[in-house]
Structures are given as structure tokens and as C-alpha cells.
Amino acid sequence: MFEITPHLDPKHQTPLYIQLYKYILNEIEADRIPQGTKLPSIRKLAAHLELGKNTVDAAYQQLAAEGYIESKPGSGYYVADLDRQLLTVPKHGACTINIPELKKPLPNHIRYDFRHGNIDTDNFPFADWKKISNQVLFEKDIFSYGDRQGEPELRLEIAKYLYESRGVSCSPEQIIIGGGIQQLISLLCFIIGVKDKGIAVENPGYDGARAVFLHHGFQLKSIGIDQCGLKIAELEQSRARFVYVTPSHQFPMGMIMPIANRMKLLQWANRVDGFIIEDDYDSEFRYRGKPIPALQGIDPNGRVIYLGTFSKALLPSIRVAYMVLPEALINKFNENFQSYEQPVSKILQKTLCLFMRQGYWQKHLRKMRHIYQKKHEVLFKAVHEHMGNNVRMIGENSGLHVIMEVKKNDTEDCLIQKARNAGVRVYPTSKYWMNGRQTLHPQLLLGFAGLSEKDIQSGIKILSGAWF
Ligand SMILES: Cc1ncc(COP(=O)(O)O)c(C=O)c1O
């Protein structure tokens, strides 16, 4: 049932009924109480606010007289149908905080959205997930606070999975569960503390990580990339002791750091007594070449902080990621973060744990690898067929997105707009560059996971028509 809880001041010179009237009027004008909403009855609101019935009645009468609400005999008071264009909001001291625009739904004419971050939800095992979630609700202690580091059984499953699939060698005690990679990076910044405030980052690189470092007062040191990923020689010049890097699938350009460079990177960390923050965000999906183990697994000296997420291989909305800390840092976490509670729901963690333990996770991964491999092939075939040499594809070995370099003199904005006009959404890469894009031709980012094979083909065909 709809309720309102205004702050009314009985000591104020404005009578209470006017204060209540103004509050409701404000809420209606700002559309926080939408048209057609039934207001609480006079008796209930008076009891809820500990006011006299006459006070509430007087406020409602005033609103009704001004046409903001209307009385339906035998039913109560309802917010009237107002022409909101004519209302001036905010008024009467209403809240003037700038609320960022909510993500707008795609315009109707967009039929093919190559959004990186969308995944294939048609193949999510909803029935299995639902069965396990129901089962979890009957577990003992499920409704209490969980372990601050994350549920131990889930950490055990993640440790096993990381060892088998990524060569990561860790105990469950080294793992911290979090609500996404950015939240874990933020926690990591707190753990690292205030002494070291320089961090080397890939340029171009993941803007989401950069933003977190900046908010924690870190000074970013931009390091270029080449066909082998992060340029180690530039890193050595940078005097940084920390580096954030995506070695298994450089974001956004997609190169894989060869083993020789990985070894050099580890040697660098050892030499400068530093740490490598390895973001392994989508390594589950690799289409060519042998698996390359995570840096963490080949590091004998505890120099790597490993980050992974369930956003790509399971669901982005699940908001579960994990961080593997070397011993020195997990000790710091244990010493200083005893009072921090775990942000990820225990119910969700237990569900995920059973999903992994009962074999559904591996089954889902096998299925999705196959599905994404096919989508990837379809994408490349369609590009070859419809665009030929007009484009150059970058980062084709793994992951759920590719970079398309368009060999035209159009700007990135212009290409995006032309695509949009034709009903296709593609995404800029310029925001991943720190000091402006340094490529000859515009490069666009296309995520293909959320589209069907048929839609990938149609989308590429339409793009080609719109651009060439
Ligand atoms: C490099 C990189 N790391 C992390 C993430 C996001 O991970 P999460 O969903 O766990 O925050 C993304 C998202 O696209 C990414 O590109």
C-alpha cells in the first residue's frame, strides 16, 4: 500500500496542514506520486503521521480544490490527470540534486545492438538456476550475515576452477569475493594504502579501472601497447611500482601477451618490489591458439593480484567477481578490514557455489564456448563477405568483442551516427585512450555475444550499406 512520510515541523510557524499540503503537491509535481495513485485514507495517514484527522482532511481539501487530487466517492482520493508540461518543477524547496539521467532504453529503430557487455541470455540455464536458488533458501543460517571475505565454499569452488582452467594457484583464504571488478579494485586501493600513489595503466585501456584509481587519488602513468600488449620497456621507464594490465585479452584491443613478455613483466615487479594487477575479465572464451596460463600461476614471488568476474561467462547482472591476493596483501586485509561486511548477497553466493559444485557451471561454460565460437565465426565471415578490405579486424583471437578499424576518412562519431540511422548500434573506442586516440582510422568496438547468428549477419550487412 502506498505511503508517504514527510518531515513536518510542529514548531514551525506554517500550520501543519499547509506543510502537508505543500509536501504532497511537491511530490505530485515532481511525478514522484504519479497520476492515478490512490492516496492513503485520511484515517490511515493521520495515524501514520500522528496528526489529527482534521489536519490531513484540510490538506487533502486544499489539494482537491486546486485540482491536484480528486475524490472518488466511496473509494478515496486519487492523483488527478495533470498536464505536467505546465508544471514548474522544482518548487516549494523541492530537492534540487542533479540525478543522472537513467539509462534510456534503445530507440525503437535500433534493431541490432553490438553492445560489449551484452551476453547470450537465451542460453542461460534458468531452470537449473531456479531449482538451486529454491534449494538454497532452505539451507541453515542462509538469512544471516555471511563471511566478510565471501562464502568459504564458494571460494573453494573458485580456487578449484581457477587452478584447472587458468593455472592460478591459490588457497580459498587468498580469495575475496566482491560485487564486480571495480568494487574489488576500490577495495584493493584501500588495502594498498596511501604511500604508493602512482599506477601504470595500459593506453588504450579499461576506463572503468582508471576511474577507480583516479578516485582513490592515484596518479596514472600511461603505458602504450603494441602487438604483444603492454610495452614493458615503457613500463620500466615509468618509475611506477604498480601496474594494472589485461594480459590475456588486452582491453579493448584484444592482443594476448606472449609468455616471454609475461616473464619480463614478472621480473619487473620483482625488481621494483611492486605488484601487477592482472584483470582476467573474459579469458573463458578463446578461439585460436593454446591456452596461456594467467600471470598469477607463473609468479613464484607473490607479485600478482588476480581479478576475475562472472559477468561474461554467466551474467553481468549477477555482480559477482573475485580477487586473489598474494600473502602479503591478504594479511593486510585481515589486519585492517575486520569491520567490513561482504557486499555480495549470501543467498546468491550459495546458489553460485552449488551451481559450480554440481557441475552446471562447467556444462554452461562448454555450451557457451561453442555458441560464442560459432557467433565469432559468423561475424568474421559476414565482415569478410560484406566489407572486405574496407575494414581491418583487430583482437580476433578471444573474448566477446572485436575492434573494427574502418578505412575511411569519416570520424568515429559520424560512423556511429550513420550506423544508428540505419538501425545498428556500434560503440566508440576513443574513450579508452588517455590523451586522445592515436590511430590513423577510426576504430569501433563491436560486442557480438548478445546477438543471434542471424542478427550478426544482418547487422553487418546493414552496417556495410550505411558506411560504404
Ligand atoms: C577489462 C574489464 N574488466 C572488468 C570489466 C567488468 O567486470 P565486472 O562486470 O565484474 O565489473 C570489464 C567490462 O567490460 C572490462 O572490460
Side-chain angles (χ1 to χ4, degrees), residues 116 180-182 206 244 246 251 279 281 309 311-312 319 321:
H116 165 57
I181 282 187
Q182 281 182 308
Y206 178 39
Y244 164 84
T246 48
F251 188 85
D279 183 349
Y281 64 105
T309 179
S311 291
K312 309 288 170 195
R319 305 313 301 137

Side-chain angles (χ1 to χ4, degrees), residues 223-438:
I223 310 290
I225 57 170
D226 58 19
Q227 70 283 3
C228 297
L230 183 96
K231 289 182 182 163
I232 312 280
E234 261 186 43
L235 175 67
E236 296 192 335
Q237 305 289 314
S238 74
R239 301 245 211 97
R241 280 187 55 234
F242 291 89
V243 62
Y244 164 84
V245 60
T246 48
S248 297
H249 188 220
Q250 202 281 333
F251 188 85
M253 302 307 283
M255 51 285 278
I256 297 172
M257 187 183 279
I259 190 76
N261 287 37
R262 289 174 187 241
M263 299 312 286
K264 280 190 202 156
L265 190 55
L266 289 170
Q267 284 157 8
W268 164 85
N270 227 8
R271 208 167 43 250
V272 301
D273 188 23
F275 286 101
I276 301 163
I277 303 167
E278 175 179 24
D279 183 349
D280 207 15
Y281 64 105
D282 72 352
S283 54
E284 286 88 2
F285 305 110
R286 195 178 32 78
Y287 311 115
R288 288 178 202 151
K290 279 195 288 203
I292 299 189
L295 274 175
Q296 198 275 2
I298 50 172
D299 163 32
N301 300 311
R303 295 283 168 200
V304 178
I305 295 145
Y306 179 89
L307 292 161
T309 179
F310 285 96
S311 291
K312 309 288 170 195
L314 200 60
L315 285 178
S317 60
I318 193 171
R319 305 313 301 137
V320 181
Y322 40 89
M323 172 162 73
V324 180
L325 289 181
E327 210 180 300
L329 293 181
I330 199 75
N331 288 343
K332 264 186 149 187
F333 172 79
N334 286 327
E335 279 159 25
N336 302 321
F337 292 84
Q338 288 290 340
S339 53
Y340 275 48
E341 289 296 347
Q342 168 57 230
V344 179
S345 140
K346 181 173 174 180
I347 301 174
L348 192 71
Q349 289 186 64
K350 292 261 183 181
T351 306
L352 182 54
C353 171
L354 288 192
F355 189 79
M356 295 180 89
R357 194 189 293 158
Q358 295 178 3
Y360 295 104
W361 165 241
Q362 282 298 350
K363 189 171 145 205
H364 181 61
L365 268 184
R366 275 196 299 275
K367 183 174 170 190
M368 295 320 294
R369 277 190 186 122
H370 181 65
I371 288 171
Y372 289 142
Q373 170 106 44
K374 280 182 69 196
K375 290 190 182 188
H376 185 262
E377 279 165 20
V378 166
L379 173 71
F380 275 78
K381 205 159 156 253
V383 169
H384 181 69
E385 197 177 312
H386 298 291
M387 300 182 166
N389 287 333
N390 287 322
V391 297
R392 181 169 72 99
M393 299 296 272
I394 305 171
E396 70 278 24
N397 290 326
S398 65
L400 302 179
H401 74 273
V402 287
I403 301 292
M404 183 184 268
E405 182 173 270
V406 184
K407 296 183 199 160
K408 280 194 82 175
N409 287 332
D410 282 346
T411 61
E412 186 182 78
D413 281 351
C414 173
L415 291 169
I416 290 173
Q417 195 52 50
K418 281 184 181 171
R420 231 184 143 92
N421 294 344
V424 183
R425 193 116 190 241
V426 290
Y427 291 83
T429 54
S430 45
K431 66 174 180 162
Y432 303 119
W433 289 86
M434 284 172 71
N435 311 308
R437 183 169 56 85
Q438 291 154 28

Side-chain angles (χ1 to χ4, degrees), residues 41-61:
S41 72
I42 291 174
R43 185 181 53 75
K44 283 206 175 121
L45 189 57
H48 175 56
L49 300 178
E50 297 185 340
L51 294 172
K53 278 197 269 182
N54 287 346
T55 307
V56 178
D57 186 38
Y60 278 13
Q61 291 301 336

